[in-house]
Amino acid sequence: MLHRSMLRGEVAPGWEQLADAFAEVLTEDAAGAAVAIVHDGDLVVDLWGGADPLTHRAWERESVVLTFSAAKGIVALLVAQQIQAGALDPRSPVARYWPEFAAAGKAEITIGDVLTHVAGVPVLPLRGLTDLLDPIDLAARLATQPPAYPPRSARVYHILSYGTILAEVLRRVTGRGLGDLLRDEVASRLDASMWFGMPASAEPRVLLSLMGPVEPAPLPEVTTGPNAAACDAAYRSTAQIIPVFERVDDRMGSEMMNTPAFRGAQIGGGGLVSDARSLARVYGACVAEVDGVRLLDDETVAAVSADHLGGIAEPVCRAGAGATTRWGLGFEISHPANPMLGTGSFGHAGMGGRLAFAHAPSRLGFAFVGQRMSFPPPGEDSRWNRLLAATAAVLG
């Protein structure tokens, strides 16, 4: 039985199926979540519900959460705006804008290589976890490092180096840090609650991210041959962030990811704090005017939502792993593990089940965030499947 009494918020006429689908999500897990949809510039779905199982605090309209890698989609948007303005060329070397990056064999790595995760530098030069809290110093040290394997020889997801590199490029081009750039070019224009470097004043709105005990990164099974170096880099880049998710004294909610220091740092690869409504409004404004604001023009949307991976293979480093074969210009685009709404979708998923994207053909922005971090097999998140099926049904 569905309990709509678990929900708060509103749906526009014709979008009632989303309320039913979201009620199913909350019935499955009452830890709480939020979903929002902007269609042709209008907020047509704005729902939240559930309660924090740690504090029993109910989700409120203004509740915000860490979005993890959904942050990468917002970094991609900031980059796309600079490309649209003619200030950045994705075909140009990173070193054109950040000369120090050319060191140690990286002179030919392009902006586009970083955006598509083929740059060959997925591993950060971390001396300790607190290095993540100073992205400018971290970028300076990353610039001195050689690639872990030949650039453009393999696609390996750049978990945190993606945001580190692009944030520094944006700082060199605009003179502004990631937080200021997001505020000026996106958030303030749409009255969006969205931060790289969340202010202390927003702390009362935060609901923590809940996950089970962290597991060690699995060792690669490919240790010889042409993909060995790429698989080793993929392993090391994953292993070095595992401590971010480790509990203190086995207390859920005590992880570094749940600290004010982490939320307050401008971590482009995974530190964005936001709510579903703001994410949906921002993505909606990429494909239609929202309150008179359009963030990307049609030409830029077409460019960033096309496949830019160019056939560069992602090595399968463990049996049963699925390889990514399509990627936009910084944005995740529709693929089997994350179809979104099909062709014309561009955005980014976040660890544990966050999802935010635009669908250009229907002029729609979608966002889902939740407290509980769930890790189903790729393409099998029941929360996404329910909400996206209902959205597709409404759109016809």
mmCIF file of all heavy atoms in Angstrom, residues 36-88:
data_model
loop_
_atom_site.group_PDB
_atom_site.id
_atom_site.type_symbol
_atom_site.label_atom_id
_atom_site.label_comp_id
_atom_site.label_asym_id
_atom_site.label_seq_id
_atom_site.Cartn_x
_atom_site.Cartn_y
_atom_site.Cartn_z
ATOM 1 N N ALA A 36 12.794 16.269 -7.686
ATOM 2 C CA ALA A 36 12.266 17.488 -8.294
ATOM 3 C C ALA A 36 12.414 17.399 -9.805
ATOM 4 O O ALA A 36 13.373 16.799 -10.313
ATOM 5 C CB ALA A 36 12.984 18.729 -7.763
ATOM 6 N N ILE A 37 11.461 17.995 -10.513
ATOM 7 C CA ILE A 37 11.496 18.051 -11.969
ATOM 8 C C ILE A 37 11.085 19.448 -12.403
ATOM 9 O O ILE A 37 10.084 19.996 -11.926
ATOM 10 C CB ILE A 37 10.552 17.006 -12.609
ATOM 11 C CG1 ILE A 37 11.030 15.591 -12.283
ATOM 12 C CG2 ILE A 37 10.465 17.203 -14.122
ATOM 13 C CD1 ILE A 37 10.076 14.495 -12.733
ATOM 14 N N VAL A 38 11.868 20.005 -13.314
ATOM 15 C CA VAL A 38 11.522 21.267 -13.976
ATOM 16 C C VAL A 38 11.261 20.938 -15.441
ATOM 17 O O VAL A 38 12.108 20.345 -16.109
ATOM 18 C CB VAL A 38 12.658 22.291 -13.838
ATOM 19 C CG1 VAL A 38 12.427 23.499 -14.737
ATOM 20 C CG2 VAL A 38 12.790 22.734 -12.387
ATOM 21 N N HIS A 39 10.066 21.293 -15.920
ATOM 22 C CA HIS A 39 9.682 20.978 -17.297
ATOM 23 C C HIS A 39 9.331 22.269 -18.028
ATOM 24 O O HIS A 39 8.458 23.013 -17.596
ATOM 25 C CB HIS A 39 8.477 20.033 -17.315
ATOM 26 C CG HIS A 39 8.053 19.622 -18.682
ATOM 27 N ND1 HIS A 39 6.759 19.776 -19.138
ATOM 28 C CD2 HIS A 39 8.759 19.090 -19.717
ATOM 29 C CE1 HIS A 39 6.680 19.342 -20.382
ATOM 30 N NE2 HIS A 39 7.878 18.927 -20.751
ATOM 31 N N ASP A 40 10.071 22.522 -19.091
ATOM 32 C CA ASP A 40 9.853 23.722 -19.900
ATOM 33 C C ASP A 40 9.849 24.980 -19.028
ATOM 34 O O ASP A 40 9.041 25.887 -19.219
ATOM 35 C CB ASP A 40 8.560 23.612 -20.688
ATOM 36 C CG ASP A 40 8.603 24.438 -21.973
ATOM 37 O OD1 ASP A 40 9.709 24.885 -22.365
ATOM 38 O OD2 ASP A 40 7.537 24.666 -22.567
ATOM 39 N N GLY A 41 10.763 25.003 -18.069
ATOM 40 C CA GLY A 41 10.950 26.173 -17.225
ATOM 41 C C GLY A 41 10.140 26.199 -15.949
ATOM 42 O O GLY A 41 10.373 27.055 -15.089
ATOM 43 N N ASP A 42 9.184 25.276 -15.791
ATOM 44 C CA ASP A 42 8.311 25.281 -14.617
ATOM 45 C C ASP A 42 8.654 24.135 -13.671
ATOM 46 O O ASP A 42 8.907 23.006 -14.113
ATOM 47 C CB ASP A 42 6.843 25.143 -15.035
ATOM 48 C CG ASP A 42 6.361 26.330 -15.848
ATOM 49 O OD1 ASP A 42 6.772 27.467 -15.537
ATOM 50 O OD2 ASP A 42 5.562 26.118 -16.788
ATOM 51 N N LEU A 43 8.638 24.413 -12.377
ATOM 52 C CA LEU A 43 8.841 23.388 -11.360
ATOM 53 C C LEU A 43 7.543 22.593 -11.236
ATOM 54 O O LEU A 43 6.570 23.065 -10.645
ATOM 55 C CB LEU A 43 9.221 24.030 -10.027
ATOM 56 C CG LEU A 43 9.540 23.089 -8.862
ATOM 57 C CD1 LEU A 43 10.780 22.248 -9.149
ATOM 58 C CD2 LEU A 43 9.727 23.889 -7.578
ATOM 59 N N VAL A 44 7.521 21.386 -11.798
ATOM 60 C CA VAL A 44 6.285 20.596 -11.845
ATOM 61 C C VAL A 44 6.262 19.497 -10.795
ATOM 62 O O VAL A 44 5.193 18.956 -10.479
ATOM 63 C CB VAL A 44 6.064 19.992 -13.247
ATOM 64 C CG1 VAL A 44 5.816 21.098 -14.267
ATOM 65 C CG2 VAL A 44 7.228 19.111 -13.683
ATOM 66 N N VAL A 45 7.417 19.127 -10.266
ATOM 67 C CA VAL A 45 7.507 18.144 -9.186
ATOM 68 C C VAL A 45 8.485 18.675 -8.154
ATOM 69 O O VAL A 45 9.620 19.035 -8.503
ATOM 70 C CB VAL A 45 7.992 16.769 -9.703
ATOM 71 C CG1 VAL A 45 8.205 15.801 -8.537
ATOM 72 C CG2 VAL A 45 7.015 16.185 -10.707
ATOM 73 N N ASP A 46 8.041 18.735 -6.906
ATOM 74 C CA ASP A 46 8.910 19.188 -5.813
ATOM 75 C C ASP A 46 8.467 18.440 -4.569
ATOM 76 O O ASP A 46 7.568 18.876 -3.848
ATOM 77 C CB ASP A 46 8.780 20.703 -5.627
ATOM 78 C CG ASP A 46 9.768 21.262 -4.604
ATOM 79 O OD1 ASP A 46 10.743 20.563 -4.281
ATOM 80 O OD2 ASP A 46 9.554 22.404 -4.131
ATOM 81 N N LEU A 47 9.069 17.276 -4.342
ATOM 82 C CA LEU A 47 8.630 16.367 -3.289
ATOM 83 C C LEU A 47 9.790 15.987 -2.384
ATOM 84 O O LEU A 47 10.931 15.832 -2.848
ATOM 85 C CB LEU A 47 8.054 15.089 -3.901
ATOM 86 C CG LEU A 47 6.788 15.235 -4.753
ATOM 87 C CD1 LEU A 47 6.493 13.936 -5.485
ATOM 88 C CD2 LEU A 47 5.605 15.654 -3.904
ATOM 89 N N TRP A 48 9.493 15.807 -1.114
ATOM 90 C CA TRP A 48 10.481 15.324 -0.163
ATOM 91 C C TRP A 48 9.738 14.557 0.923
ATOM 92 O O TRP A 48 8.516 14.667 1.066
ATOM 93 C CB TRP A 48 11.291 16.477 0.427
ATOM 94 C CG TRP A 48 10.470 17.479 1.183
ATOM 95 C CD1 TRP A 48 10.188 17.478 2.524
ATOM 96 C CD2 TRP A 48 9.794 18.625 0.634
ATOM 97 N NE1 TRP A 48 9.385 18.555 2.846
ATOM 98 C CE2 TRP A 48 9.129 19.270 1.707
ATOM 99 C CE3 TRP A 48 9.669 19.152 -0.649
ATOM 100 C CZ2 TRP A 48 8.362 20.413 1.521
ATOM 101 C CZ3 TRP A 48 8.907 20.296 -0.826
ATOM 102 C CH2 TRP A 48 8.267 20.919 0.250
ATOM 103 N N GLY A 49 10.474 13.762 1.678
ATOM 104 C CA GLY A 49 9.823 13.010 2.742
ATOM 105 C C GLY A 49 10.787 12.077 3.432
ATOM 106 O O GLY A 49 11.931 11.907 3.027
ATOM 107 N N GLY A 50 10.295 11.452 4.502
ATOM 108 C CA GLY A 50 11.111 10.564 5.304
ATOM 109 C C GLY A 50 11.770 11.292 6.451
ATOM 110 O O GLY A 50 11.534 12.487 6.679
ATOM 111 N N ALA A 51 12.584 10.562 7.181
ATOM 112 C CA ALA A 51 13.243 11.133 8.355
ATOM 113 C C ALA A 51 14.627 10.518 8.531
ATOM 114 O O ALA A 51 14.866 9.356 8.183
ATOM 115 C CB ALA A 51 12.403 10.890 9.608
ATOM 116 N N ASP A 52 15.529 11.314 9.075
ATOM 117 C CA ASP A 52 16.893 10.889 9.356
ATOM 118 C C ASP A 52 16.850 9.813 10.449
ATOM 119 O O ASP A 52 16.420 10.078 11.575
ATOM 120 C CB ASP A 52 17.686 12.103 9.832
ATOM 121 C CG ASP A 52 19.125 11.784 10.189
ATOM 122 O OD1 ASP A 52 19.511 10.598 10.135
ATOM 123 O OD2 ASP A 52 19.863 12.721 10.520
ATOM 124 N N PRO A 53 17.280 8.576 10.152
ATOM 125 C CA PRO A 53 17.237 7.526 11.178
ATOM 126 C C PRO A 53 18.214 7.744 12.328
ATOM 127 O O PRO A 53 18.076 7.114 13.379
ATOM 128 C CB PRO A 53 17.582 6.252 10.392
ATOM 129 C CG PRO A 53 18.309 6.711 9.192
ATOM 130 C CD PRO A 53 17.759 8.065 8.857
ATOM 131 N N LEU A 54 19.195 8.635 12.142
ATOM 132 C CA LEU A 54 20.139 8.908 13.226
ATOM 133 C C LEU A 54 19.549 9.850 14.269
ATOM 134 O O LEU A 54 19.704 9.648 15.468
ATOM 135 C CB LEU A 54 21.428 9.510 12.662
ATOM 136 C CG LEU A 54 22.280 8.612 11.768
ATOM 137 C CD1 LEU A 54 23.507 9.378 11.295
ATOM 138 C CD2 LEU A 54 22.690 7.334 12.483
ATOM 139 N N THR A 55 18.891 10.900 13.793
ATOM 140 C CA THR A 55 18.379 11.931 14.700
ATOM 141 C C THR A 55 16.858 11.957 14.767
ATOM 142 O O THR A 55 16.298 12.675 15.602
ATOM 143 C CB THR A 55 18.855 13.320 14.234
ATOM 144 O OG1 THR A 55 18.265 13.598 12.948
ATOM 145 C CG2 THR A 55 20.373 13.367 14.114
ATOM 146 N N HIS A 56 16.192 11.220 13.853
ATOM 147 C CA HIS A 56 14.741 11.210 13.707
ATOM 148 C C HIS A 56 14.194 12.561 13.239
ATOM 149 O O HIS A 56 13.002 12.839 13.364
ATOM 150 C CB HIS A 56 14.058 10.786 15.012
ATOM 151 C CG HIS A 56 14.595 9.491 15.557
ATOM 152 N ND1 HIS A 56 14.440 8.281 14.911
ATOM 153 C CD2 HIS A 56 15.335 9.219 16.671
ATOM 154 C CE1 HIS A 56 15.034 7.333 15.597
ATOM 155 N NE2 HIS A 56 15.594 7.869 16.663
ATOM 156 N N ARG A 57 15.087 13.378 12.713
ATOM 157 C CA ARG A 57 14.696 14.656 12.149
ATOM 158 C C ARG A 57 14.025 14.432 10.801
ATOM 159 O O ARG A 57 14.572 13.751 9.928
ATOM 160 C CB ARG A 57 15.959 15.505 11.943
ATOM 161 C CG ARG A 57 15.838 16.942 12.383
ATOM 162 C CD ARG A 57 17.202 17.614 12.265
ATOM 163 N NE ARG A 57 17.381 18.224 10.964
ATOM 164 C CZ ARG A 57 18.549 18.428 10.392
ATOM 165 N NH1 ARG A 57 19.662 18.015 10.961
ATOM 166 N NH2 ARG A 57 18.626 19.011 9.233
ATOM 167 N N ALA A 58 12.855 15.010 10.607
ATOM 168 C CA ALA A 58 12.164 14.854 9.329
ATOM 169 C C ALA A 58 12.855 15.679 8.251
ATOM 170 O O ALA A 58 13.446 16.733 8.527
ATOM 171 C CB ALA A 58 10.707 15.306 9.459
ATOM 172 N N TRP A 59 12.798 15.171 7.011
ATOM 173 C CA TRP A 59 13.233 15.982 5.876
ATOM 174 C C TRP A 59 12.326 17.209 5.788
ATOM 175 O O TRP A 59 11.103 17.113 5.963
ATOM 176 C CB TRP A 59 13.141 15.189 4.573
ATOM 177 C CG TRP A 59 14.385 14.416 4.280
ATOM 178 C CD1 TRP A 59 14.943 13.459 5.065
ATOM 179 C CD2 TRP A 59 15.220 14.549 3.124
ATOM 180 N NE1 TRP A 59 16.088 12.977 4.467
ATOM 181 C CE2 TRP A 59 16.282 13.615 3.281
ATOM 182 C CE3 TRP A 59 15.181 15.332 1.980
ATOM 183 C CZ2 TRP A 59 17.288 13.473 2.335
ATOM 184 C CZ3 TRP A 59 16.178 15.188 1.040
ATOM 185 C CH2 TRP A 59 17.223 14.271 1.209
ATOM 186 N N GLU A 60 12.937 18.343 5.495
ATOM 187 C CA GLU A 60 12.200 19.595 5.326
ATOM 188 C C GLU A 60 12.413 20.118 3.910
ATOM 189 O O GLU A 60 13.273 19.628 3.179
ATOM 190 C CB GLU A 60 12.689 20.638 6.343
ATOM 191 C CG GLU A 60 12.605 20.207 7.785
ATOM 192 C CD GLU A 60 11.177 20.132 8.304
ATOM 193 O OE1 GLU A 60 10.268 20.602 7.580
ATOM 194 O OE2 GLU A 60 10.978 19.584 9.406
ATOM 195 N N ARG A 61 11.652 21.131 3.567
ATOM 196 C CA ARG A 61 11.778 21.716 2.226
ATOM 197 C C ARG A 61 13.205 22.195 1.966
ATOM 198 O O ARG A 61 13.695 22.118 0.844
ATOM 199 C CB ARG A 61 10.796 22.881 2.069
ATOM 200 C CG ARG A 61 10.787 23.479 0.665
ATOM 201 C CD ARG A 61 9.798 24.632 0.550
ATOM 202 N NE ARG A 61 9.667 25.046 -0.841
ATOM 203 C CZ ARG A 61 10.499 25.860 -1.473
ATOM 204 N NH1 ARG A 61 11.546 26.371 -0.823
ATOM 205 N NH2 ARG A 61 10.291 26.190 -2.734
ATOM 206 N N GLU A 62 13.883 22.688 2.986
ATOM 207 C CA GLU A 62 15.209 23.276 2.818
ATOM 208 C C GLU A 62 16.348 22.307 3.112
ATOM 209 O O GLU A 62 17.511 22.715 3.138
ATOM 210 C CB GLU A 62 15.337 24.511 3.720
ATOM 211 C CG GLU A 62 14.326 25.604 3.422
ATOM 212 C CD GLU A 62 14.377 26.074 1.978
ATOM 213 O OE1 GLU A 62 15.487 26.259 1.453
ATOM 214 O OE2 GLU A 62 13.312 26.232 1.366
ATOM 215 N N SER A 63 16.063 21.026 3.344
ATOM 216 C CA SER A 63 17.125 20.057 3.643
ATOM 217 C C SER A 63 18.073 19.906 2.458
ATOM 218 O O SER A 63 17.640 19.879 1.302
ATOM 219 C CB SER A 63 16.523 18.691 3.988
ATOM 220 O OG SER A 63 15.759 18.762 5.175
ATOM 221 N N VAL A 64 19.358 19.789 2.754
ATOM 222 C CA VAL A 64 20.376 19.616 1.714
ATOM 223 C C VAL A 64 21.264 18.434 2.080
ATOM 224 O O VAL A 64 21.377 18.049 3.245
ATOM 225 C CB VAL A 64 21.237 20.882 1.526
ATOM 226 C CG1 VAL A 64 20.408 22.037 0.998
ATOM 227 C CG2 VAL A 64 21.941 21.278 2.825
ATOM 228 N N VAL A 65 21.899 17.864 1.050
ATOM 229 C CA VAL A 65 22.785 16.714 1.248
ATOM 230 C C VAL A 65 24.022 16.863 0.376
ATOM 231 O O VAL A 65 24.039 17.635 -0.587
ATOM 232 C CB VAL A 65 22.080 15.385 0.895
ATOM 233 C CG1 VAL A 65 20.924 15.105 1.833
ATOM 234 C CG2 VAL A 65 21.621 15.381 -0.553
ATOM 235 N N LEU A 66 25.040 16.091 0.706
ATOM 236 C CA LEU A 66 26.210 15.984 -0.151
ATOM 237 C C LEU A 66 25.826 15.181 -1.391
ATOM 238 O O LEU A 66 25.163 14.149 -1.294
ATOM 239 C CB LEU A 66 27.327 15.274 0.617
ATOM 240 C CG LEU A 66 28.726 15.267 0.019
ATOM 241 C CD1 LEU A 66 29.294 16.678 -0.056
ATOM 242 C CD2 LEU A 66 29.636 14.368 0.860
ATOM 243 N N THR A 67 26.238 15.647 -2.558
ATOM 244 C CA THR A 67 25.808 15.007 -3.801
ATOM 245 C C THR A 67 26.861 14.102 -4.424
ATOM 246 O O THR A 67 26.614 13.496 -5.461
ATOM 247 C CB THR A 67 25.398 16.059 -4.844
ATOM 248 O OG1 THR A 67 26.560 16.792 -5.276
ATOM 249 C CG2 THR A 67 24.354 17.012 -4.285
ATOM 250 N N PHE A 68 28.047 14.026 -3.821
ATOM 251 C CA PHE A 68 29.141 13.196 -4.339
ATOM 252 C C PHE A 68 29.389 13.522 -5.816
ATOM 253 O O PHE A 68 29.482 14.688 -6.169
ATOM 254 C CB PHE A 68 28.865 11.714 -4.065
ATOM 255 C CG PHE A 68 28.837 11.420 -2.583
ATOM 256 C CD1 PHE A 68 27.635 11.263 -1.905
ATOM 257 C CD2 PHE A 68 30.013 11.340 -1.861
ATOM 258 C CE1 PHE A 68 27.610 11.031 -0.538
ATOM 259 C CE2 PHE A 68 29.999 11.102 -0.492
ATOM 260 C CZ PHE A 68 28.795 10.951 0.166
ATOM 261 N N SER A 69 29.478 12.524 -6.698
ATOM 262 C CA SER A 69 29.921 12.811 -8.064
ATOM 263 C C SER A 69 28.889 13.530 -8.923
ATOM 264 O O SER A 69 29.213 13.928 -10.046
ATOM 265 C CB SER A 69 30.372 11.532 -8.766
ATOM 266 O OG SER A 69 31.664 11.171 -8.322
ATOM 267 N N ALA A 70 27.683 13.729 -8.419
ATOM 268 C CA ALA A 70 26.788 14.645 -9.140
ATOM 269 C C ALA A 70 27.432 16.022 -9.232
ATOM 270 O O ALA A 70 27.083 16.827 -10.102
ATOM 271 C CB ALA A 70 25.430 14.723 -8.446
ATOM 272 N N ALA A 71 28.403 16.272 -8.345
ATOM 273 C CA ALA A 71 29.189 17.510 -8.407
ATOM 274 C C ALA A 71 29.894 17.661 -9.744
ATOM 275 O O ALA A 71 30.060 18.782 -10.250
ATOM 276 C CB ALA A 71 30.211 17.523 -7.278
ATOM 277 N N LYS A 72 30.329 16.543 -10.327
ATOM 278 C CA LYS A 72 31.078 16.620 -11.587
ATOM 279 C C LYS A 72 30.226 17.210 -12.704
ATOM 280 O O LYS A 72 30.749 17.889 -13.601
ATOM 281 C CB LYS A 72 31.592 15.244 -11.975
ATOM 282 C CG LYS A 72 32.679 14.686 -11.072
ATOM 283 C CD LYS A 72 33.172 13.349 -11.583
ATOM 284 C CE LYS A 72 34.322 12.804 -10.746
ATOM 285 N NZ LYS A 72 33.890 12.345 -9.402
ATOM 286 N N GLY A 73 28.939 16.948 -12.691
ATOM 287 C CA GLY A 73 28.069 17.543 -13.695
ATOM 288 C C GLY A 73 27.995 19.049 -13.573
ATOM 289 O O GLY A 73 27.914 19.761 -14.585
ATOM 290 N N ILE A 74 28.055 19.556 -12.350
ATOM 291 C CA ILE A 74 28.016 21.004 -12.153
ATOM 292 C C ILE A 74 29.358 21.625 -12.547
ATOM 293 O O ILE A 74 29.404 22.723 -13.121
ATOM 294 C CB ILE A 74 27.639 21.340 -10.703
ATOM 295 C CG1 ILE A 74 26.255 20.748 -10.375
ATOM 296 C CG2 ILE A 74 27.628 22.843 -10.484
ATOM 297 C CD1 ILE A 74 25.124 21.207 -11.312
ATOM 298 N N VAL A 75 30.463 20.938 -12.281
ATOM 299 C CA VAL A 75 31.757 21.409 -12.790
ATOM 300 C C VAL A 75 31.727 21.432 -14.318
ATOM 301 O O VAL A 75 32.188 22.396 -14.957
ATOM 302 C CB VAL A 75 32.904 20.526 -12.280
ATOM 303 C CG1 VAL A 75 34.220 20.901 -12.963
ATOM 304 C CG2 VAL A 75 33.050 20.659 -10.767
ATOM 305 N N ALA A 76 31.177 20.381 -14.925
ATOM 306 C CA ALA A 76 31.067 20.339 -16.387
ATOM 307 C C ALA A 76 30.242 21.506 -16.912
ATOM 308 O O ALA A 76 30.552 22.072 -17.967
ATOM 309 C CB ALA A 76 30.451 19.015 -16.831
ATOM 310 N N LEU A 77 29.194 21.885 -16.183
ATOM 311 C CA LEU A 77 28.385 23.038 -16.579
ATOM 312 C C LEU A 77 29.207 24.321 -16.531
ATOM 313 O O LEU A 77 29.144 25.144 -17.465
ATOM 314 C CB LEU A 77 27.166 23.149 -15.661
ATOM 315 C CG LEU A 77 26.355 24.440 -15.744
ATOM 316 C CD1 LEU A 77 25.832 24.692 -17.149
ATOM 317 C CD2 LEU A 77 25.213 24.406 -14.732
ATOM 318 N N LEU A 78 29.991 24.511 -15.462
ATOM 319 C CA LEU A 78 30.815 25.713 -15.359
ATOM 320 C C LEU A 78 31.839 25.767 -16.489
ATOM 321 O O LEU A 78 32.120 26.842 -17.034
ATOM 322 C CB LEU A 78 31.508 25.752 -14.000
ATOM 323 C CG LEU A 78 30.583 25.869 -12.779
ATOM 324 C CD1 LEU A 78 31.384 25.745 -11.492
ATOM 325 C CD2 LEU A 78 29.799 27.171 -12.803
ATOM 326 N N VAL A 79 32.390 24.607 -16.849
ATOM 327 C CA VAL A 79 33.319 24.546 -17.978
ATOM 328 C C VAL A 79 32.584 24.859 -19.276
ATOM 329 O O VAL A 79 33.069 25.637 -20.119
ATOM 330 C CB VAL A 79 33.989 23.162 -18.059
ATOM 331 C CG1 VAL A 79 34.790 23.016 -19.352
ATOM 332 C CG2 VAL A 79 34.900 22.944 -16.850
ATOM 333 N N ALA A 80 31.386 24.283 -19.453
ATOM 334 C CA ALA A 80 30.610 24.516 -20.679
ATOM 335 C C ALA A 80 30.270 25.992 -20.851
ATOM 336 O O ALA A 80 30.270 26.514 -21.982
ATOM 337 C CB ALA A 80 29.330 23.680 -20.654
ATOM 338 N N GLN A 81 30.008 26.677 -19.757
ATOM 339 C CA GLN A 81 29.725 28.114 -19.856
ATOM 340 C C GLN A 81 30.936 28.879 -20.369
ATOM 341 O O GLN A 81 30.794 29.826 -21.149
ATOM 342 C CB GLN A 81 29.292 28.652 -18.488
ATOM 343 C CG GLN A 81 27.900 28.219 -18.071
ATOM 344 C CD GLN A 81 27.520 28.786 -16.715
ATOM 345 O OE1 GLN A 81 28.252 28.668 -15.740
ATOM 346 N NE2 GLN A 81 26.362 29.418 -16.643
ATOM 347 N N GLN A 82 32.121 28.474 -19.924
ATOM 348 C CA GLN A 82 33.336 29.149 -20.400
ATOM 349 C C GLN A 82 33.629 28.795 -21.859
ATOM 350 O O GLN A 82 34.139 29.624 -22.620
ATOM 351 C CB GLN A 82 34.518 28.789 -19.503
ATOM 352 C CG GLN A 82 34.378 29.289 -18.073
ATOM 353 C CD GLN A 82 34.159 30.794 -17.995
ATOM 354 O OE1 GLN A 82 34.863 31.574 -18.654
ATOM 355 N NE2 GLN A 82 33.174 31.202 -17.219
ATOM 356 N N ILE A 83 33.327 27.567 -22.266
ATOM 357 C CA ILE A 83 33.447 27.198 -23.673
ATOM 358 C C ILE A 83 32.468 28.018 -24.511
ATOM 359 O O ILE A 83 32.824 28.557 -25.574
ATOM 360 C CB ILE A 83 33.186 25.686 -23.859
ATOM 361 C CG1 ILE A 83 34.308 24.880 -23.190
ATOM 362 C CG2 ILE A 83 33.068 25.325 -25.336
ATOM 363 C CD1 ILE A 83 34.036 23.389 -23.129
ATOM 364 N N GLN A 84 31.255 28.145 -24.032
ATOM 365 C CA GLN A 84 30.229 28.920 -24.727
ATOM 366 C C GLN A 84 30.647 30.381 -24.880
ATOM 367 O O GLN A 84 30.389 31.011 -25.918
ATOM 368 C CB GLN A 84 28.923 28.816 -23.930
ATOM 369 C CG GLN A 84 27.742 29.545 -24.518
ATOM 370 C CD GLN A 84 26.473 29.223 -23.736
ATOM 371 O OE1 GLN A 84 25.792 28.248 -24.012
ATOM 372 N NE2 GLN A 84 26.151 30.046 -22.747
ATOM 373 N N ALA A 85 31.323 30.896 -23.867
ATOM 374 C CA ALA A 85 31.759 32.295 -23.895
ATOM 375 C C ALA A 85 33.021 32.508 -24.725
ATOM 376 O O ALA A 85 33.444 33.649 -24.930
ATOM 377 C CB ALA A 85 32.002 32.779 -22.467
ATOM 378 N N GLY A 86 33.631 31.406 -25.187
ATOM 379 C CA GLY A 86 34.847 31.516 -25.978
ATOM 380 C C GLY A 86 36.114 31.640 -25.158
ATOM 381 O O GLY A 86 37.194 31.882 -25.708
ATOM 382 N N ALA A 87 36.013 31.465 -23.836
ATOM 383 C CA ALA A 87 37.178 31.605 -22.965
ATOM 384 C C ALA A 87 37.961 30.304 -22.823
ATOM 385 O O ALA A 87 39.119 30.335 -22.389
ATOM 386 C CB ALA A 87 36.737 32.087 -21.584
ATOM 387 N N LEU A 88 37.349 29.182 -23.165
ATOM 388 C CA LEU A 88 37.992 27.869 -23.076
ATOM 389 C C LEU A 88 37.766 27.112 -24.377
ATOM 390 O O LEU A 88 36.668 27.168 -24.945
ATOM 391 C CB LEU A 88 37.387 27.047 -21.938
ATOM 392 C CG LEU A 88 38.080 26.970 -20.582
ATOM 393 C CD1 LEU A 88 37.276 26.080 -19.647
ATOM 394 C CD2 LEU A 88 39.504 26.481 -20.697
#
